[in-house]
Amino acid sequence: MKTLIVYYSRTNISRKVAEDIQKKLGGDIEEIKEIKDHNGAIGFIKGAVESVRKSEVAIEENKLNPEDYDLVVVGTPVWASTMASPVYSYLENNKDKIKKAAYFCTCGSSGYESTLENMEKLTGIKPVANLYTTKSSYDSPDYDNKIADFVEKLKE
């Protein structure tokens, strides 16, 4: 199965999860890059407002076409209990090109349920699997098991 993992990461946590998934699953990986970044406290607040409003933001054109893949795994940090605005923009622009999807999100402690639901609602694609990780789980021995379980579901 040809797999694409796409993600957005403001603080490199979602990047680490995406790379850990790729190590166990294989496939291609691509970062969603925004034209105007959300660095610093003000950028974080603006990003949260954009996410709540479901605002599309300018992102760089993706190099890999999701239409060329059997499965697209999409990852996002949780911003204000939903996906980051760059991920919203990516999904809005590519939802018709995705045949089969899986979603993952990273969060401080909560908001992952609504984030995963919003990703499914936006694309109209019921995911093969979902994964969420919290800040406290990255250094836990359970983290590797969570990634392995998620990848096993993707391989089924």
Side-chain angles (χ1 to χ4, degrees):
M1 172 174 18
K2 192 169 179 189
T3 304
L4 171 63
I5 302 163
V6 293
Y7 68 92
Y8 170 77
S9 190
R10 180 176 173 268
T11 61
N12 292 324
I13 294 171
S14 296
R15 174 192 318 267
K16 177 190 181 321
V17 175
E19 289 171 348
D20 289 344
I21 292 168
Q22 185 192 32
K23 284 176 194 168
K24 292 191 182 318
L25 181 64
D28 296 329
I29 192 166
E30 182 170 39
E31 182 176 9
I32 299 167
K33 294 182 181 178
E34 56 191 328
I35 304 294
K36 185 178 128 187
D37 65 37
H38 288 94
N39 290 332
I42 291 175
F44 178 76
I45 292 167
K46 284 182 182 178
V49 170
E50 291 167 355
S51 294
V52 168
R53 290 185 177 163
K54 297 183 171 124
S55 301
E56 279 194 63
V57 296
I59 58 175
E60 291 181 13
E61 189 174 331
N62 40 306
K63 294 174 179 86
L64 303 173
N65 184 351
E67 203 165 33
D68 297 336
Y69 294 85
D70 303 309
L71 173 67
V72 178
V73 180
V74 183
T76 184
V78 174
W79 287 3
S81 293
T82 193
M83 70 196 94
S85 51
V87 174
Y88 179 87
S89 298
Y90 178 89
L91 288 174
E92 184 64 40
N93 294 329
N94 291 287
K95 63 186 174 189
D96 296 333
K97 299 175 186 173
I98 299 171
K99 301 169 191 130
K100 194 163 136 183
Y103 310 119
F104 75 87
C105 63
T106 59
C107 60
S109 62
S110 64
Y112 56 85
E113 299 101 338
S114 58
T115 299
L116 296 168
E117 287 171 12
N118 288 333
M119 293 171 83
E120 181 178 344
K121 264 188 220 168
L122 175 60
T123 61
I125 301 170
K126 183 166 179 55
V128 174
N130 283 329
L131 169 72
Y132 71 89
T133 58
T134 60
K135 192 173 187 176
S136 63
S137 71
Y138 303 121
D139 296 323
S140 123
D142 191 43
Y143 172 78
D144 285 333
N145 293 335
K146 269 186 121 167
I147 298 293
D149 291 345
F150 180 67
V151 167
E152 282 309 307
K153 289 177 187 169
L154 300 181
K155 289 179 177 179
E156 292 176 1

